[in-house]
Amino acid sequence: MRVEGFEGKPYEASGDHSPPPDYPFTGEDSEITGEGLFVPPLNFAMVDNGVFRSGFPDSTNFSFLQSLGLRSIINLCPETYPEANNEFLKTNAIRLFQFGIDGCKYFLQEPFVNIPEETIREALNVVLDVKNHPVLIHCKRGKHRTGCVVGCLRKLQRWCLSSIFVEYQRFAAAKARVTDQRFIERFDVSNMNDIPITFSCSKR
Amino acid sequence: MRVEGFEGKPYEASGDHSPPPDYPFTGEDSEITGEGLFVPPLNFAMVDNGVFRSGFPDSTNFSFLQSLGLRSIINLCPETYPEANNEFLKTNAIRLFQFGIDGCKYFLQEPFVNIPEETIREALNVVLDVKNHPVLIHCKRGKHRTGCVVGCLRKLQRWCLSSIFVEYQRFAAAKARVTDQRFIERFDVSNMNDIPITFSCSKR
């Protein structure tokens, strides 16, 4: 299978955008209309086995989220869930863990920021418990609050800080905050090191 | 566990950067020296169960890669592996699938780009075969060639194009190419729709 030198077959523009005959769900033009396609939430990604991250999910994301077979959702926003989201949880027997962190209060005050360490730690404990998996961690945009929880998880998984920051920045992009990264750097995992991360791809 | 209103405990700057007493491997100052910490390859991420993506791995990444228990690596670069990489494969009984795509030849010629569709398809077939899992897909920077393979996988998983492009752009960042995204859009999955993606979090 090792292909040392490849002679590429040129891509042939067929001009044919009709859906394949066995395309799922509709058998009609789902590829064009988008019908039957999954819409992952904003900033969705897989963090580790049974652990996902994203921005705030809305009803367009529900069929995708359903396909993940979630057992729990960690919502890091303080606001009450919209009725549609509560209904989705109920229908799919998904447990909600809400750790309301005020995005403005804690994440926009520079340079004096007090990111609520204990709340992040509580959220992290929910993530670490495989009984809650598959679990989705989300805030509003999946950048800062979620980025802090995932960054602390990576620290526990013994990722070096520069790699943790690169991952944080990949999601926060232009909105990356040095205060979040400082929080992750200073987050103390010493008393959590005895917790076995059984689900982790990257074994400690 | 639902916390409606949270009173955050202020983060206390202790000024103590000494490693926790039970920090793994060294018991000394591994947190400061970086000893015993994992260094994931550039642009590393989990794509799905048993599927990872990254840029070109080097020896600093080997202990991390070892922790993933990889069975295969898909290398999308045409260059021969450095000796250290070959040694790593041998020591860890990792199978190499090399689909050499010339990054300059195929990915820098705008507007007339012929991305080698058949090669991407062959690489995708390796990804789809769970016997090869856990598998790492990599090119040089984990942006374009890897981004195309992952984008085509997402298409097969029925992600909508806009979400596929957002994911592609998250890794390609300032180097995102419309030609790659056009390639993904035009990639025909109709004759692959009968392949069950058994490993996928997002069930088709």
Side-chain angles (χ1 to χ4, degrees):
Chain A
M1 188 69 83
R2 182 168 175 144
V3 184
E4 287 294 341
F6 170 76
E7 289 299 313
K9 179 188 161 202
Y11 183 77
E12 289 170 14
S14 69
D16 179 12
H17 277 75
S18 63
D22 55 348
Y23 208 80
F25 282 132
T26 65
E28 289 181 29
D29 52 355
S30 59
E31 197 173 10
I32 295 167
T33 64
E35 204 177 341
L37 294 181
F38 285 134
V39 184
L42 182 77
N43 251 339
F44 173 84
M46 191 164 190
V47 177
D48 210 315
N49 291 317
V51 182
F52 306 95
R53 62 180 290 169
S54 77
F56 207 98
D58 67 26
S59 58
T60 59
N61 313 126
F62 289 168
S63 66
F64 174 74
L65 292 181
Q66 205 164 28
S67 77
L68 301 179
L70 295 174
R71 194 175 287 168
S72 330
I73 290 182
I74 297 173
N75 174 12
L76 300 170
C77 300
E79 297 82 8
T80 311
Y81 252 7
E83 192 45 49
N85 290 51
N86 281 326
E87 198 57 45
F88 173 75
L89 295 179
K90 199 173 159 188
T91 310
N92 295 280
I94 296 170
R95 183 173 178 190
L96 176 67
F97 295 89
Q98 186 165 7
F99 299 100
I101 300 172
D102 188 325
C104 296
K105 185 175 174 191
Y106 291 108
F107 286 82
L108 288 177
Q109 295 178 334
E110 294 204 44
F112 303 106
V113 180
N114 292 319
I115 296 169
E117 190 196 351
E118 277 311 313
T119 311
I120 299 284
R121 196 174 291 277
E122 284 179 58
L124 192 54
N125 279 325
V126 174
V127 175
L128 292 175
D129 187 347
V130 290
K131 291 198 297 294
N132 300 319
H133 292 198
V135 59
L136 171 72
I137 310 161
H138 82 80
C139 52
K140 193 169 178 194
R141 301 191 192 284
K143 294 176 190 279
H144 305 113
R145 289 165 278 197
T146 300
C148 284
V149 173
V150 172
C152 293
L153 172 64
R154 295 311 189 193
K155 204 167 172 182
L156 206 51
Q157 292 178 306
R158 295 207 355 257
W159 283 32
C160 65
L161 272 181
S162 50
S163 296
I164 294 173
F165 292 166
V166 165
E167 183 180 49
Y168 169 88
Q169 290 158 10
R170 192 182 300 137
F171 290 88
K175 301 285 186 187
R177 293 172 188 160
V178 69
T179 45
D180 289 351
Q181 293 170 77
R182 197 160 53 218
F183 171 81
I184 295 166
E185 179 174 5
R186 298 179 62 87
F187 187 82
D188 184 5
V189 294
S190 60
N191 56 359
M192 302 179 84
N193 268 330
D194 53 345
I195 304 172
I197 310 186
T198 54
F199 61 85
S200 173
C201 292
S202 164
K203 303 291 185 297
R204 287 196 300 164
Chain B
M1 189 69 81
R2 182 171 174 141
V3 184
E4 287 295 341
F6 171 76
E7 290 299 313
K9 178 189 162 201
Y11 183 78
E12 289 169 14
S14 68
D16 179 9
H17 276 75
S18 61
D22 55 349
Y23 208 79
F25 283 131
T26 65
E28 292 182 27
D29 52 355
S30 60
E31 198 173 8
I32 296 170
T33 64
E35 204 177 341
L37 295 181
F38 286 134
V39 184
L42 182 78
N43 251 337
F44 173 84
M46 192 165 188
V47 176
D48 210 316
N49 291 316
V51 183
F52 306 95
R53 63 180 291 168
S54 77
F56 206 97
D58 66 27
S59 57
T60 59
N61 313 127
F62 290 167
S63 65
F64 174 75
L65 292 181
Q66 205 165 26
S67 78
L68 301 178
L70 295 174
R71 195 174 287 167
S72 330
I73 290 181
I74 297 173
N75 175 11
L76 300 169
C77 299
E79 297 82 7
T80 311
Y81 251 7
E83 192 44 49
N85 290 51
N86 282 326
E87 197 57 43
F88 173 75
L89 295 179
K90 199 174 159 188
T91 309
N92 295 280
I94 296 169
R95 184 173 178 190
L96 176 68
F97 295 89
Q98 186 166 7
F99 299 100
I101 301 172
D102 187 326
C104 295
K105 185 174 173 189
Y106 291 108
F107 285 80
L108 289 177
Q109 295 178 332
E110 294 204 46
F112 302 106
V113 180
N114 291 318
I115 296 170
E117 190 196 354
E118 277 311 313
T119 310
I120 299 283
R121 197 175 291 277
E122 283 179 58
L124 192 53
N125 279 325
V126 174
V127 176
L128 292 174
D129 187 347
V130 289
K131 290 198 298 294
N132 300 319
H133 292 197
V135 60
L136 172 72
I137 310 162
H138 82 80
C139 52
K140 193 170 178 194
R141 303 191 191 283
K143 292 175 190 280
H144 306 113
R145 289 165 277 195
T146 300
C148 283
V149 172
V150 172
C152 293
L153 172 65
R154 296 310 189 194
K155 203 166 174 184
L156 206 52
Q157 292 178 304
R158 295 207 356 257
W159 284 32
C160 65
L161 271 181
S162 50
S163 295
I164 295 174
F165 292 166
V166 165
E167 183 179 50
Y168 168 88
Q169 290 158 10
R170 192 182 301 137
F171 290 88
K175 302 286 186 186
R177 295 173 186 159
V178 70
T179 46
D180 288 351
Q181 294 170 78
R182 196 161 55 217
F183 172 81
I184 295 166
E185 180 173 6
R186 298 177 64 85
F187 187 82
D188 184 6
V189 295
S190 60
N191 56 1
M192 301 179 83
N193 267 330
D194 54 345
I195 304 173
I197 311 187
T198 54
F199 62 85
S200 174
C201 292
S202 163
K203 303 291 185 300
R204 287 196 303 164

